[in-house]
Amino acid sequence: MPDPDLLAAVDAFAAHPGVLVATDFDGALAPLVLDPADSRPVEGGMETLAALSDLPGTTVALVSGRDLAALRELSGATDPLVLVGSHGAEDSRRPDGLVLSDEQRALLATLEADLRAVVEAHPGSRIEDKPAGRVLHTRGIDPQVGAAALEAAAALGERHTSLVVTPGKEVVELAVAHVGKGTALVALAEELGVDAVFYAGDDVTDEQGFAALAEDADAARAARRLTVRVGEGETAAQFRVPDEPALVEVLSALLTARRSSTRAG
Ligand SMILES: [Mg+2]
């Protein structure tokens, strides 16, 4: 069971009239796997989020670095769940999606060619396509080769200074347009006019989310935030759970609490 302080915080969170319940996908709801295409949410995760999204005053969002199409397919999420992809550069409520300038499109083509060269020089490393960038993955390959590949990819950010470079676990993302999970979360909370935001995640980009919610210009909303780090690592989140199934337990507790508070309200 989740720790009692976290459960108490969940109950307090559930009592607010309007809430945004947002979570990262990979490493938070879906265990990290060798091939990103094999990623699947843990049992009960999406069902719990879907049930939450049916409750009054409750918006649920998946906030991921993945592009919208992959996030939709892997999560199996349907309306009214909000999908925020490409670190906030895509939003499922805006079907026109991402608009890149001519300069950004040209930079994306250059990035593609440069990364192909990195992959050729570092066997086993792989490129993932994103609407606004490319990601180099090195999970599962020789650690030295992997580290060299990540270094070579990150160095492209010095050659092309308008690229946004985001390192992660055995991964580096190079984007031609980048919003950031923190900016995206606060913008979504503001747009929805919610009183409180829940956010859970496992990686460097999620730390931007935790920090941004703590520094929300709406100080009352910042004080009502509930942030949860999944797994190890230094964090700005208020709470921590060990793994994906543990996060689902927290979401289930939130569903139960939210059901009774929306019924009572
Ligand atoms: Mg993650």
Short mmCIF file of all heavy atoms in Angstrom, two decimals, residues 24-28 181 202-203 206, ligand 1:
data_model
loop_
_atom_site.label_atom_id
_atom_site.label_comp_id
_atom_site.label_asym_id
_atom_site.label_seq_id
_atom_site.Cartn_x
_atom_site.Cartn_y
_atom_site.Cartn_z
N ASP A 24 2.90 11.03 -16.72
CA ASP A 24 3.80 10.58 -17.77
C ASP A 24 3.36 9.17 -18.16
O ASP A 24 2.60 8.53 -17.45
CB ASP A 24 5.22 10.58 -17.17
CG ASP A 24 6.29 10.06 -18.11
OD1 ASP A 24 6.15 10.23 -19.33
OD2 ASP A 24 7.27 9.48 -17.60
N PHE A 25 3.84 8.67 -19.30
CA PHE A 25 3.46 7.32 -19.73
C PHE A 25 4.60 6.33 -19.48
O PHE A 25 4.54 5.52 -18.58
CB PHE A 25 3.05 7.36 -21.21
CG PHE A 25 2.56 6.04 -21.72
CD1 PHE A 25 1.34 5.52 -21.29
CD2 PHE A 25 3.31 5.29 -22.61
CE1 PHE A 25 0.88 4.29 -21.74
CE2 PHE A 25 2.87 4.06 -23.07
CZ PHE A 25 1.65 3.55 -22.63
N ASP A 26 5.68 6.43 -20.25
CA ASP A 26 6.80 5.48 -20.14
C ASP A 26 7.52 5.62 -18.80
O ASP A 26 7.96 6.71 -18.45
CB ASP A 26 7.79 5.70 -21.27
CG ASP A 26 7.20 5.38 -22.62
OD1 ASP A 26 7.11 4.20 -22.96
OD2 ASP A 26 6.78 6.33 -23.32
N GLY A 27 7.66 4.52 -18.09
CA GLY A 27 8.37 4.57 -16.82
C GLY A 27 7.50 5.02 -15.67
O GLY A 27 7.94 5.00 -14.52
N ALA A 28 6.26 5.43 -15.97
CA ALA A 28 5.33 5.83 -14.92
C ALA A 28 4.12 4.89 -14.93
O ALA A 28 3.76 4.29 -13.94
CB ALA A 28 4.89 7.28 -15.11
N LYS A 181 7.50 19.75 -20.60
CA LYS A 181 6.37 19.24 -19.84
C LYS A 181 5.89 20.26 -18.79
O LYS A 181 4.70 20.35 -18.52
CB LYS A 181 6.73 17.92 -19.17
CG LYS A 181 6.83 16.76 -20.14
CD LYS A 181 7.10 15.47 -19.41
CE LYS A 181 7.11 14.28 -20.36
NZ LYS A 181 7.35 13.02 -19.64
N ASP A 202 8.75 9.78 -14.13
CA ASP A 202 9.93 9.02 -13.69
C ASP A 202 11.26 9.57 -14.18
O ASP A 202 12.30 9.00 -13.88
CB ASP A 202 9.83 7.58 -14.22
CG ASP A 202 10.10 7.51 -15.70
OD1 ASP A 202 9.45 8.25 -16.45
OD2 ASP A 202 11.02 6.76 -16.11
N ASP A 203 11.25 10.64 -14.98
CA ASP A 203 12.50 10.98 -15.67
C ASP A 203 12.82 12.48 -15.58
O ASP A 203 12.09 13.26 -14.97
CB ASP A 203 12.39 10.53 -17.13
CG ASP A 203 13.76 10.15 -17.74
OD1 ASP A 203 14.80 10.56 -17.19
OD2 ASP A 203 13.77 9.47 -18.76
N ASP A 206 10.23 15.00 -16.47
CA ASP A 206 9.14 15.11 -15.50
C ASP A 206 9.54 16.02 -14.34
O ASP A 206 8.67 16.65 -13.72
CB ASP A 206 8.76 13.72 -14.97
CG ASP A 206 8.35 12.81 -16.10
OD1 ASP A 206 7.44 13.19 -16.86
OD2 ASP A 206 8.96 11.74 -16.27
MG MG B 1 8.91 8.59 -18.44
#
